Amino acid sequence: LDEPTAVLTPAEADTLFGVLKSLTAQGRTVVLVTHKLREVLEGSDRVTVLRDGRVAARLVTSDTTADEIAAAMTGRAVELDRVHAPGAPGQAVLRVTGFSTDSVHDVDLTVRAGEIVGIAGVAGNGQSELVEALAGLRPVAAGQVTLQGDDVTHASAAERRVKGLAYVPEDRHAVGTAPAASVADNLAMGHHRTTLSARGLLPPAAVRAHARRLVERFGIKAATTEVPASALSGGNLQKLLIGRELAHDAPLLLVEQPTRGVDIGAIQNIHDQLIAYRDAGHAVLLVSAELSEIRGLADRVLVMYEGRVAASYSKEEADERTLGLAMAGAPVEATDMNPLT
C-alpha cells in the first residue's frame, strides 16, 4: 500500500490498520509506504528508512521511536508535531460571503492579517475547488469575494495577483510550475512584471541572482538554477513553489498541501516560514490533508463536508477527534458554526 490513508478520516484510517493487522495475523504480508510516523509505529513490525535513495536505517518498530525514525529520515534531530503559538489577528484581508461554485455551496469565511485559517476535510469535499475559485481559476456561481476591501468576485487570476494574492496550488506539476522551464525561470514567475522587470525586459543577471537567493533560503537542491524544473525531486519542486510565492510578500497567501512529498526536515522549515509570514502581518488560508499540520499551524480551523463549511473551531477546540468527527459528517453544535470570527 502506497500512502493508503491520504483520503481517509482518522477513524477510517484506524479501521484500515485494524484490517491490515487481521491480514498479517492470517499469515499475509503487508508492505506499507507512508510518510506519517504514527502509521509507521502503529501499522508495522519492521521499518526500513530511505534517505536520498539509500537505506538509512533498518529498525524493529517495537524497539524504536518517532524521534529515532525522523532522525534517520533527515540525518538530524527534528522537533515533531510542534504546535505554534497563536497569532495576533488584525483587520480582515479576505472576506467571502454566500460563496458558491459548481461544487461549493454557500460558504462564508474571513481571514485576517496576522492569522492562519486552516481548512480540514476528507479529499473531495470541496476544499480544492474553493481555493481554485478564490484564486480565479474557477468560475463563481454566487456570492462575493473581497480582498483588502476590493470586490474581486469576478476578477481574473492576474488581477487578483495585482490586488495582493499569492497562491500555492495542490498540483505543483500541472498548475504550480512549468516543468520544461529552468529553475531560475520558474522562480521568476509572478515577479517578472514587478521586482525583476527593467523597462519591460528581464535582465538575466537579475533573474539568476533572484533564483540563487531563493534556492539558498529554502534549501532547494538543484545542480544549477539553469536545469529544468522537471529535473527536481517532488520535494524540491515543492520548495521552489513555496519559496517563489512567499517571496511575493502578498497580503494574502492561499496554500494547498504545503508539505506534500517533502521530507520531515523540510517540513519544519516550511512551517517556520509560514508562521513567520503570518507574524509579519499577512493572512494565510491553508488547506492540508494532515491534521497535525492544520492543528500545529492554524489559529482557526474550518471543516468542509460535501462542499459546505460544516464546522468552525478555535485552535484550542480543534483536537483530532473533534475534527475527525466533523470531517465524517457528524452533527455539530450550533455554537461551533462561526467561520467569520
Side-chain angles (χ1 to χ4, degrees):
L1 302 96
D2 187 1
E3 304 287 355
T5 63
V7 296
L8 302 181
T9 67
E12 290 168 337
D14 290 341
T15 300
L16 171 64
F17 280 100
V19 173
L20 297 182
K21 288 177 182 178
S22 70
L23 290 175
T24 58
Q26 297 170 24
R28 308 256 173 83
T29 298
V30 176
V31 178
L32 170 69
V33 179
T34 180
H35 67 281
K36 299 178 181 180
L37 296 184
R38 183 175 74 89
E39 295 180 2
V40 172
L41 293 169
E42 295 180 3
S44 72
D45 299 297
R46 292 183 294 114
V47 185
T48 299
V49 178
L50 295 178
R51 185 171 78 245
D52 294 332
R54 299 180 182 277
V55 173
R58 300 183 195 275
L59 306 166
V60 176
T61 307
S62 59
D63 295 335
T64 191
T65 64
D67 288 331
E68 184 179 10
I69 297 171
M73 293 169 69
T74 62
R76 59 184 176 83
V78 177
E79 185 180 354
L80 298 171
D81 294 332
R82 180 165 37 148
V83 176
H84 293 269
Q91 296 296 314
V93 174
L94 174 70
R95 189 177 294 276
V96 178
T97 53
F99 188 79
S100 298
T101 69
D102 53 352
S103 54
V104 174
H105 314 291
D106 198 27
V107 168
D108 294 337
L109 66 86
T110 297
V111 188
R112 296 170 289 186
E115 178 182 49
I116 297 177
V117 174
I119 298 181
V122 177
N125 277 274
Q127 309 95 297
S128 293
E129 291 82 358
L130 171 64
V131 175
E132 286 175 3
L134 294 177
L137 303 182
R138 184 178 288 263
V140 177
Q144 185 181 50
V145 181
T146 61
L147 178 57
Q148 297 200 100
D150 295 327
D151 189 339
V152 296
T153 309
H154 300 291
S156 68
E159 290 168 337
R160 294 174 198 228
R161 284 274 193 184
V162 172
K163 294 291 186 181
L165 181 147
Y167 176 42
V168 176
E170 180 176 8
D171 190 336
R172 57 187 173 234
H173 297 283
V175 181
T177 59
S182 70
V183 168
D185 285 347
N186 270 278
L187 287 169
M189 291 175 182
H191 301 272
H192 60 286
R193 291 192 179 95
T194 55
T195 55
L196 295 179
S197 177
R199 298 179 181 178
L201 301 176
L202 287 175
V207 172
R208 289 193 295 269
H210 172 78
R212 286 194 296 269
R213 286 194 298 271
L214 295 188
V215 163
E216 181 178 355
R217 176 181 169 187
F218 291 93
I220 303 167
K221 294 181 181 178
T224 72
T225 60
E226 299 308 312
V227 300
S230 59
L232 301 183
S233 67
N236 281 295
L237 192 62
Q238 185 72 3
K239 294 178 194 177
L240 180 154
L241 181 53
I242 292 280
R244 183 188 73 205
E245 295 305 303
L246 290 183
H248 283 293
D249 204 32
L252 173 67
L253 173 68
L254 306 178
V255 54
E256 295 184 87
Q257 316 301 342
T259 57
R260 176 171 287 173
V262 177
D263 67 75
I264 290 176
I267 287 173
Q268 192 173 55
N269 178 261
I270 290 173
H271 285 180
D272 289 343
Q273 295 281 355
L274 290 175
I275 291 295
Y277 199 75
R278 177 201 70 181
D279 290 346
H282 303 88
V284 180
L285 183 63
L286 165 71
V287 175
S288 177
E290 304 290 343
L291 286 187
S292 60
E293 184 163 71
I294 290 282
R295 295 179 62 231
L297 294 175
D299 300 297
R300 289 187 293 119
V301 181
L302 310 182
V303 177
M304 289 196 69
Y305 180 71
E306 295 185 345
R308 301 179 183 275
V309 173
S312 175
Y313 300 106
S314 67
K315 192 177 191 72
E316 294 73 23
E317 295 169 330
D319 60 80
E320 188 168 293
R321 180 181 179 277
T322 299
L323 294 179
L325 288 172
M327 288 165 60
V332 177
E333 293 294 333
T335 52
D336 291 331
M337 287 300 300
N338 197 10
L340 295 180
T341 58

